[in-house]
Amino acid sequence: MYLTADEEAMAAGSDGPAVKWAMDYQLAVGGFFGARRLVPVRSAHAHCDGEALGEPGVRFLEQLADQGARARIPLTLDPRSTDFSCALDIGQTQSIVDTERRILAAMARMGALTTNTCINYQTVDVPHGGEHLAWGDTGTVIYANAVAGARSNFEGGPAALAAALTGRVPAYGFHLDEHRRGTVLVELADQPRDSADWGAVGCLVGRRFPGYWEVPVIDGAERSPSPDEVKQLGAALASYGSHAMFHLVGVTPEARTRADAFGDNEPRERLVIDRAALDGAYRGFVPEREGPDVVVFGTPQLSVFELAELAALFEGRQVAGPVYATTSAAVLRSAEEYGYAETLRAAGVRLLSGVCYYLMTARELGRRNGFRTLVTNSAKLANIIEGYGYNPVFRPTEVCVDAAVTGRIAG
């Protein structure tokens, strides 16, 4: 692999042991993927939640901070495993609270912005076309690649941290033009009506064409979806299909036309999605009982527009059981300023900040609270949460709200 003089110096240890570790890590990743060089990145976004790291991971971060590790580029953090304001109230333990505080302290010492959000692209770090990034979290990466036209692979926590300490990533995968062209064609024979429908599209496409190197080209949209709708589409594609990129013809920047999206490629396969297929995506999530044990909105975290929609749907009503809505600290402050938070809390909705439900020691929450059947409008959460012992029920937003209020799952 070709290295510049600065990169060779970092690899030789001129900037200290933490940077040497980071460069060694990046060279190992690049060697595995056959990268010929490194590429500078503008920012990094890292996973480092307490449930995933455990005690060994926390000690590793503290050791790097003790060695003087400092981020060279902006470094934002993905959601953590607990909302400090209510962790014990909702059934989490003091140990996960303590773990998360240690993680944040270590990352802050290294210069990270302790954002704890998976919607950094909507709030603190908006990507733009052509720039190289070192982002983790599947939803952030696919949004950056597809919607913004930026360039990033799925960077695991250590790789994103290594990129922050060196300002570099190996040039492979979606940093290169040849991996960004369409591979399969998806035609919309019916129009998604809301963000949950766009999540259903992602579910159907991801199941049909799984694989990191697949780049679905979606054609036939009669209107440009909102940022929150493409957020749900991308998050579902990344969850069900491990996709890091998609093209939406006439909407995303590298797909002004179908020919633009495919480049020199011909579509390898074709999928047509009609209303029956969308309805089938919902019907595939079968409730085990008539009512939910818990209703969850979020994953990815909710924007202020999504909280406004929920506030309108819940206004003047009262929930029948536990209902959680997850968002970022910055969005929650806006929702409080605009009155949406007050409306939702009056209805009995608990607003959680800095977290996503599946990262919140979900198995332990289920055991302590008797949660089994979980209703959500997030296709991504429905896919992931089953692995934590839940019975997921994916439904459109209004159906989820009605289930939360009536205690019964319609349909």
Side-chain angles (χ1 to χ4, degrees):
M1 189 184 302
Y2 169 79
L3 299 181
T4 66
D6 287 344
E7 291 161 355
E8 287 181 344
M10 285 190 281
S14 66
D15 291 351
V19 174
K20 177 171 171 46
W21 163 80
M23 184 58 73
D24 288 344
Y25 193 98
Q26 295 288 53
L27 293 175
V29 172
F32 179 85
F33 286 104
R36 297 181 179 181
R37 62 187 177 92
L38 301 174
V39 61
V41 288
R42 183 188 60 77
S43 70
H45 181 75
H47 306 270
C48 54
D49 63 274
E51 185 174 28
L53 265 65
E55 180 62 23
V58 179
R59 287 201 305 268
F60 173 70
L61 294 180
E62 290 172 336
Q63 178 184 353
L64 285 177
D66 289 343
Q67 291 174 346
R70 295 295 182 271
R72 295 170 182 254
I73 56 177
L75 170 61
T76 53
L77 302 185
D78 220 35
R80 57 184 184 266
S81 293
T82 190
D83 181 335
F84 298 127
S85 70
C86 61
L88 303 183
D89 291 344
I90 65 175
Q92 292 190 290
T93 64
Q94 186 64 45
S95 63
I96 191 64
V97 173
D98 294 341
T99 295
E100 286 290 354
R101 291 197 185 281
R102 288 172 61 194
I103 290 169
L104 293 182
M107 296 303 292
R109 287 168 60 197
M110 288 188 271
L113 300 173
T114 54
T115 50
N116 292 128
T117 182
C118 55
I119 55 170
N120 58 317
Y121 51 86
Q122 287 187 313
T123 52
V124 297
D125 190 5
V126 179
H128 61 262
E131 68 174 348
H132 295 274
L133 306 169
W135 284 11
D137 184 273
T138 51
T140 68
V141 171
I142 197 169
Y143 195 100
N145 280 327
V147 181
R151 299 182 173 221
S152 181
N153 291 304
F154 290 152
E155 300 288 357
L161 180 55
L165 299 183
T166 62
R168 310 286 199 281
V169 292
Y172 74 93
F174 292 92
H175 291 284
L176 307 177
D177 290 343
E178 56 264 33
H179 292 295
R180 300 176 67 84
R181 301 183 186 111
T183 60
V184 294
L185 176 62
V186 178
E187 295 181 295
L188 298 177
D190 206 326
Q191 297 302 302
R193 298 167 181 164
D194 59 11
S195 62
D197 272 5
W198 281 104
V201 171
C203 167
L204 294 167
V205 176
R207 285 173 168 170
R208 174 69 179 274
F209 305 117
Y212 183 64
W213 303 111
E214 293 284 13
V215 180
V217 176
I218 303 171
D219 201 359
E222 294 177 358
R223 66 173 176 86
S224 180
S226 72
D228 288 317
E229 289 173 330
V230 289
K231 175 175 78 175
Q232 291 296 336
L233 168 64
L237 284 170
S239 181
Y240 291 86
S242 298
H243 299 149
M245 186 168 183
F246 66 91
H247 296 292
L248 192 56
V249 176
V251 176
T252 53
E254 296 175 45
R256 296 305 179 192
T257 66
R258 186 185 291 188
D260 284 346
F262 282 104
D264 296 331
N265 294 346
E266 290 292 330
R268 182 176 53 77
E269 290 188 60
R270 177 174 172 265
L271 172 66
V272 177
I273 295 179
D274 56 15
R275 178 51 51 181
L278 292 173
D279 291 343
Y282 294 114
R283 285 198 304 270
F285 293 89
V286 181
E288 296 175 348
R289 54 192 300 271
E290 290 185 353
D293 296 314
V294 61
V295 179
V296 180
F297 300 95
T299 307
Q301 291 174 340
L302 300 172
S303 72
V304 71
F305 300 108
E306 289 172 307
L307 287 173
E309 178 188 10
L310 286 179
L313 292 170
F314 275 108
E315 187 170 13
R317 307 171 80 181
Q318 195 66 36
V319 303
V323 180
Y324 299 142
T326 63
T327 189
S328 71
V331 169
L332 181 56
R333 285 192 293 270
S334 295
E336 289 171 338
E337 180 181 353
Y338 303 147
Y340 308 141
E342 181 180 0
T343 298
L344 289 167
R345 287 170 178 150
V349 177
R350 187 182 285 270
L351 298 174
L352 301 176
S353 172
V355 296
C356 272
Y357 187 83
Y358 70 95
L359 298 173
M360 294 174 56
T361 58
R363 188 179 299 278
E364 182 70 11
L365 277 182
R367 185 185 67 79
R368 286 179 172 240
N369 294 299
F371 294 161
R372 167 68 181 167
T373 297
L374 181 150
V375 173
T376 182
N377 64 343
S378 164
K380 176 179 178 177
L381 178 59
N383 187 40
I384 295 173
I385 204 65
E386 186 172 13
Y388 290 89
Y390 288 73
N391 162 222
V393 181
F394 170 48
R395 294 293 186 267
T397 302
E398 291 190 13
V399 176
C400 294
V401 171
D402 287 343
V405 172
T406 65
R408 296 179 62 86
I409 304 169

